Every structure is written in C-alpha cells, then in structure tokens.
Amino acid sequence: MSTREECASNFPNDPGVTDEVALLRRIPPWHFYYDKKLGRTRPRSAAFEDDDDGDPMSVYRRNIIDSEGGDVARVMTGHTGFALASLNAGQYRYKEQTVYPDPLHEESSHTKICGPKPESVRRWFATQSKWVIPPLP
C-alpha cells in the first residue's frame, strides 16, 4: 500500500491513537548507522520501509503495552541484537502516513503505518527517532 488513497481505504487513520502516542519500531543490527552530523547512532532510513510483500510498516503502541502492565521488551522476543526506536503518531501523520491499529493474537499493541515512504521521508523518520532500547555497544 503506497498511495494515500489505498491507505485511506485499507488502513484508515484512527484518530483514537492520539498524536502523542509513542510508536515503537524494531531495528535490526544491519540498520544501525553512526550519523556524524547528529553525533549519534541512529537507524538507517531503510529501517522504515514497508514490508517486502507490500504490507505497511509495523510498529507497536507503547500506550497499549503500558496499559496492560507490560514491558516494551516483550516486542523484542526472538529478535536478539535488535534495538527499539520510537516516533510518535503525530510525527508519522506529519509525513502523511495513516496510523491503523492492527492487534495480533500474540501482540495487542501491533499497529500499521501506511503511506508513501520515499527515501526523504524514511530518512526523516530515521533522524527524528529516539532509542527506547538502544543498540548494544
């Protein structure tokens, strides 16, 4: 789903997910990048691509995890060496993405981010993201 129209039809934006809600994205080690301009390690822009099969990018809603008394580390199970980055829903919407709750049986906080993600948008996500679980040294 890459067009705004496809996203609006198939993954409509949920205004119930307020702009302040933190959305967590798992970042694999091959997408860690030391950015000299920022003076820190950040995700590569490629970490914010949609799935290879065209399915929108997955994230996890921190407010759901917190309300269930959970720990954000639960979304890292089976992903040794990965880090966890955060942007809020408003940051995704600012770049014309829809935020669509997509709870799974195994993870109630699962959410889809749908919208066009050219390199410039993905780079913006990468530079704006903050580590919740940083990469291991």
Side-chain angles (χ1 to χ4, degrees):
M1 298 292 152
S2 59
T3 70
R4 290 176 190 88
E5 295 78 21
E6 290 172 321
C7 291
S9 295
N10 298 303
F11 299 95
N13 189 57
D14 183 347
V17 181
T18 61
D19 284 347
E20 297 77 28
V21 172
L23 302 174
L24 311 174
R25 175 87 172 146
R26 283 191 303 245
I27 309 296
W30 53 90
H31 285 311
F32 301 160
Y33 172 73
Y34 184 78
D35 188 321
K36 291 178 186 174
K37 286 183 184 177
L38 295 176
R40 66 178 177 93
T41 299
R42 65 163 174 83
R44 291 185 184 279
S45 59
F48 294 93
E49 292 177 336
D50 287 336
D51 294 346
D52 289 338
D53 64 2
D55 204 30
M57 184 177 81
S58 294
V59 295
Y60 302 91
R61 291 172 53 193
R62 178 138 197 191
N63 66 328
I64 298 293
I65 295 168
D66 292 346
S67 74
E68 295 173 351
D71 183 327
V72 296
R74 78 186 197 189
V75 302
M76 304 299 279
T77 302
H79 293 85
T80 303
F82 281 50
L84 193 64
S86 178
L87 290 155
N88 64 39
Q91 288 173 294
Y92 284 112
R93 290 182 178 122
Y94 176 71
K95 292 297 184 179
E96 301 182 355
Q97 307 292 305
T98 62
V99 177
Y100 179 79
D102 183 43
L104 302 174
H105 176 66
E106 65 275 10
E107 183 49 63
S108 58
S109 70
H110 186 259
T111 300
K112 298 283 188 175
I113 302 298
C114 190
K117 294 177 187 69
E119 174 65 24
S120 61
V121 167
R122 289 181 283 124
R123 188 176 321 109
W124 190 86
F125 293 155
T127 60
Q128 296 298 307
S129 68
K130 304 293 182 214
W131 294 117
V132 175
I133 297 176
L136 295 174

